[in-house]
Amino acid sequence: MNKAFFLLTTLSTLYAQDPYAALLFHGNCTTCHHEQKTLSAPAVVTFKKRYMDAFKTKEDFIFYMSQWVVSPKKETSIMHDAIKKHGLMPELGFDLSTIEIISRYIYDTDFTQRHPNH
Ligand code: HEC
């Protein structure tokens, strides 16, 4: 492997992991959403799969997830079963651009391969 290629792949790996996005996600979502287990709210793997099935492109996934998280409503939910079980998710008060960063991180991260400690 030549050096330039190595540098590029290293940088793109770092970018994909985006530490700022990871921090936003863990600071604001995993208090309720465990990555792999459904406890007081659906697991991240569960709502991610539901959004993956419902929205075919990355852009749509990020767009619809962000819109919903900014202002959670029963009428726009695609998880009525989860609302019945846990109650509607509260509004968190973040702006759209912050939620977009988090939604993009959720799209880009494979939570099924990780071993989270919470
Ligand atoms: C205070 C607890 C809590 C926090 C914090 C929280 N959620 Fe939720 N969330 C829930 C509950 C409960 C549900 C299931 C009921 C529902 O869908 O409204 C849910 C549902 C969802 C859904 C499914 C939407 C649908 O169509 O119904 C998505 C997507 C989601 N959360 C994303 C996030 C993201 C991203 C964050 C972090 C920015 C976050 N949540 C933070 C409690 C929380």
Side-chain angles (χ1 to χ4, degrees):
M1 195 176 357
N2 75 44
K3 271 183 191 154
F5 182 71
F6 177 75
L7 186 66
L8 259 182
T9 49
T10 307
L11 281 175
S12 62
T13 309
L14 280 175
Y15 181 72
Q17 286 170 349
D18 194 344
Y20 175 63
L23 212 66
L24 283 174
F25 169 72
H26 285 287
N28 301 304
C29 309
T30 55
T31 25
C32 295
H33 296 282
H34 189 283
E35 289 187 17
Q36 294 167 1
K37 268 183 282 181
T38 290
L39 300 170
S40 63
V44 178
V45 290
T46 305
F47 74 68
K48 178 176 176 177
K49 184 175 187 320
R50 206 71 81 82
Y51 270 70
M52 285 294 214
D53 290 345
F55 306 109
K56 294 303 170 204
T57 65
K58 180 174 180 173
E59 289 69 32
D60 279 357
F61 178 99
I62 293 168
F63 177 81
Y64 284 102
M65 185 175 286
S66 307
Q67 296 288 332
W68 194 87
V69 170
V70 163
S71 175
K73 285 190 194 72
K74 192 176 173 196
E75 301 78 66
T76 47
S77 165
I78 59 164
M79 297 187 67
H80 286 192
D81 50 327
I83 295 178
K84 225 173 241 165
K85 190 168 165 197
H86 307 283
L88 181 66
M89 177 171 143
E91 203 173 304
L92 302 174
F94 294 117
D95 55 41
L96 186 61
S97 58
T98 303
I99 305 291
E100 278 169 357
I101 294 170
I102 295 173
S103 302
R104 182 177 307 276
Y105 174 79
I106 292 172
Y107 185 95
D108 286 337
T109 306
D110 183 357
F111 296 98
T112 64
Q113 299 301 312
R114 289 154 46 110
H115 302 283
N117 50 14
H118 57 263

